[in-house]
Amino acid sequence: MQVDVLIVGGGIAGLWLLAELRAQGVNALLATDELGKGQTIASQGIIHGGTKYALTGKVTGATLAIGDMPRLWRAALNGEGAVDLRKVKVLAESQLLWTSGGIGSRMTGFFASKAMQSRMEAVPRDVYPELFRHSEFHGGLYRLDEPVLDVPSLLETLREQLADALVQVDVQGSGLQPSQNGYGYQAVLPNGQVLAITAQQIILTAGAGNEALLTSIACRRQPPLLLPKMQRRPLQMVMVRGNLPLLYAHALGMSDKPRATITSHRDKHGKTVWYIGGQPAEQGVGKPAAGVIAATQHELAQLLPWVDFTGMAWSTWHVDRAEGCQPDGSRPDQPMVQRFANVTVAWPTKLAFAPMLAARLRTELGALASVETSFDISAAELLPTPPVAPSIWDVR
């Protein structure tokens, strides 16, 4: 099979790029085993606008880089542009940020500064959500203009639109193969058949899977190729299921990371699950799940002492945030793109950066001369289509 562009990796980065390329008439195909498997399905669905990166009291490079992402996503949610997300379920049009009573004058002044006025607004006490109307809550609430999406709905929507350009492969058996013009891709289908795919350009958007794809070809070259390097910043996310109100919020402390970031989801039985990131997830890396859960329970007891968590079910989930390598191991401020031969390796850094990454990759690709296809892409309809990965609260 011969195509203009092959995308390897079925997370939001690859799917968004595929939608834009197909809208431009590019003969593009995406290969993966399950859509969203890995980082995307484990995301909280928050379309960050940078506010959480300004919690030190100053606007950082990351804040500026990601500031325009909510606008681009909202345009797609309204059906404006190449990526049509009108069918995606929006869990919350905005998020809350709540502060404790002793946050300090420096941060209080920062929230009122011009730098943040366009990003957030104070919530009047008479319209507080019921959860925060309790007499024990003495802090403040701010509304962030950053939506939260239902990630399975996002993946299902893109799968429906792009089904004829998606092919399910066994990612363990498939890989890059040297060719006359750089590299091709040997795709092993679920039934064991092998499909040799030739492409002008191959884009790797497989998250942590990029590392295995690169390692497999580096080992076959003598001397070994100097290839792009990846770093992992792990998390241990926490989940609690029970009779809980719907909440999409960041609890602010004195650190540059939220004391907790909570989003709410429904499992396959319709029960509410709080999915908790922030400091509990960062500090829980490498620790036994029971200890991480106990620490999170203690933190929630401090933040929401009037909420009774008795009898609720708890679990954790390990997530590897795969990124382009940084000298000090820190989080990149923006998506990262590196090229060799006819292969481009891309890491979006965050789900919200998918539009920015796609724009950068289109620039990297330049003008593609349409190829004479030896296998019409419409025949991809005869190939197996990858399913959407199951939600982690259903797996757990």
Side-chain angles (χ1 to χ4, degrees), residues 251-283:
L252 180 62
M254 295 307 292
S255 166
D256 63 344
K257 292 183 175 64
R259 288 177 65 178
T261 292
I262 301 171
T263 52
S264 304
H265 309 268
R266 301 286 192 190
D267 68 10
K268 60 186 176 184
H269 301 296
K271 295 182 179 179
T272 301
V273 177
W274 275 10
Y275 192 34
I276 305 169
Q279 284 186 352
E282 299 268 0
Q283 296 172 354

Side-chain angles (χ1 to χ4, degrees), residues 20 49 118 121 126 193 227 234 236 238 356:
E20 293 204 358
S118 63
E121 62 178 358
D126 59 351
Q193 289 184 314
L227 295 173
Q236 187 168 183
V238 179
M356 179 187 286

